[in-house]
Amino acid sequence: MDTLSRMRAFVDVVEAEGFSAAARKVGKSKALLSKYVRELEDELGALLLNRTTRQLSLTEAGHTYFARAVELLRDVEDLAEAVRDSSGDVRGRIKLSAPRTFADAPIGQSLIDFASAHPDVTLEINLDDRFVDLVEEGFDLAIRITKLADSSLIAKRLAPFRVMLCASPELISRHGEPGTPQELTHLPCIVDTNSRYRQNWPFRLEDGTTVNVPVTGRLEVNSPMAARAAALSGLGFAILPDFIADPEISAGRLVPLLEQNSFDGAGIYAIYPHRRYLPAKVRAFVDFLAQWLKENYPNK
């Protein structure tokens, strides 16, 4: 049994938080994994795991070894992937983190189309609005709709977007169209608490400066999709990403307002960790999404 296999068994056990869970996950017996880890400890001359009948924990040496072992195994996998890339095949598993907003919006179809176009790829999509730790949580990449400031990650901008003020025709008939952004302070608004703008909505003025307008309303919700539904029901004015608002605007169910003051969003990005070898499957996925958005994302 080689050191690499023992190392992989040790990492599997730690990540699964136990021998039994690891055995079920990797399809090997608990006894075999225990044997591999014991042999690794014998080889190193150090105890890596504290074992009790109810609990398993890392020793100080185990913490040090685990952190480096994860990096080494990832390098080995990436190197193998790079060699396989020469065949031009795109295959394997992609573990993706994406916000629910992306998947629920029409542009989420891009994920389904990628899966259809690449039958040898298993696409594991984890929908979560929080910013996951790609390395710690084992993600190949993430889609983020935001401004970026983390220099430890590689980012590719897939598409820009605008933040649009919208309302239903019924609401406009009751309250009229605001002539300036500041008038929204006195109008019913739908607050998306999941947005970084919250109750202070940004608008661009004619001189190029930006103004933040404080707004209030009877409905606060942590989802732009729910905010759109509320706007369609006439509960208030809403600011929405254009990739969510556009279909309703095209159908006449929402009306864009103060378009000359609309604020550019940061962008839709693909984010992945720094790696010496970027797997072909990840590169193919990012390229596919960029092309899909270019062809299908209205007005981009």
Side-chain angles (χ1 to χ4, degrees):
M1 177 55 56
D2 63 279
T3 299
L4 192 62
S5 296
R6 296 184 184 118
M7 181 188 298
R8 185 171 284 110
F10 168 71
V11 169
D12 287 338
V13 169
V14 174
E15 290 183 337
E17 300 181 350
F19 286 93
S20 298
R24 291 191 296 269
K25 179 180 178 181
V26 302
K28 295 178 181 177
S29 71
K30 177 181 175 182
L32 185 60
L33 291 178
S34 180
K35 175 177 179 289
Y36 288 170
V37 173
R38 187 171 59 253
E39 289 176 347
L40 179 62
E41 291 176 324
D42 291 343
E43 179 184 329
L44 296 171
L47 185 68
L48 300 177
L49 294 173
N50 291 313
R51 304 165 177 83
T52 67
T53 55
R54 293 185 177 182
Q55 188 173 328
L56 179 148
S57 62
L58 287 166
T59 64
E60 184 177 350
H63 276 289
T64 301
Y65 191 85
F66 175 75
R68 190 72 183 99
V70 169
E71 294 178 6
L72 289 172
L73 289 173
R74 185 177 293 121
D75 284 344
V76 170
E77 292 169 1
D78 288 351
L79 177 58
E81 191 89 42
V83 173
R84 287 193 292 267
D85 286 354
S86 60
S87 67
D89 293 338
V90 177
R91 61 180 65 247
R93 176 180 291 271
I94 297 176
K95 186 176 180 182
L96 168 72
S97 172
R100 296 181 184 279
T101 299
F102 183 93
D104 292 343
I107 56 176
Q109 182 64 36
S110 60
L111 305 178
I112 307 305
D113 290 350
F114 174 83
S116 298
H118 296 85
D120 293 327
V121 172
T122 298
L123 186 57
E124 178 186 343
I125 305 171
N126 292 263
L127 300 179
D128 199 328
D129 290 328
R130 69 184 177 91
F131 280 14
V132 301
D133 187 313
L134 298 183
V135 176
E136 287 292 328
E137 299 179 51
F139 286 96
D140 292 296
L141 77 162
I143 294 172
R144 291 182 180 168
I145 306 172
T146 185
K147 287 186 176 179
L148 297 176
D150 190 343
S151 60
S152 68
L153 300 172
I154 301 171
K156 177 173 181 178
R157 194 182 195 194
L158 301 175
F161 71 91
R162 289 185 304 136
V163 177
M164 307 178 67
L165 177 68
C166 304
S168 68
E170 294 76 15
L171 185 78
I172 294 172
S173 68
R174 294 200 307 269
H175 294 277
E177 291 192 20
T180 66
Q182 290 83 350
E183 291 179 28
L184 290 167
T185 299
H186 308 292
L187 294 171
C189 294
I190 300 160
V191 175
D192 178 6
T193 58
N194 201 43
S195 165
R196 57 194 174 97
Y197 309 125
R198 293 181 174 265
Q199 288 96 345
N200 290 285
W201 291 359
F203 292 92
R204 180 164 284 112
L205 302 180
E206 292 183 5
D207 61 4
T209 60
T210 300
V211 62
N212 290 313
V213 177
V215 299
T216 58
R218 293 191 300 111
L219 183 64
E220 297 183 3
V221 62
N222 65 339
S223 163
M225 301 300 291
R228 184 184 70 175
L232 288 168
S233 297
L235 292 180
F237 296 86
I239 56 170
L240 301 170
D242 56 3
F243 58 84
I244 290 178
D246 279 341
E248 306 302 335
I249 292 173
S250 297
R253 291 186 289 266
L254 287 179
V255 178
L257 303 166
L258 299 177
E259 292 186 84
Q260 71 278 11
N261 303 113
S262 64
F263 195 77
D264 291 336
I268 302 171
Y269 291 90
I271 311 293
Y272 41 95
H274 281 287
R275 288 190 179 177
R276 189 175 306 166
Y277 310 102
L278 182 64
K281 60 188 179 184
V282 175
R283 184 168 58 249
F285 178 79
V286 172
D287 291 345
F288 182 94
L289 257 62
Q291 185 62 33
W292 191 99
L293 289 168
K294 181 179 179 180
E295 295 175 356
N296 297 278
Y297 189 4
N299 305 317
K300 300 294 176 253

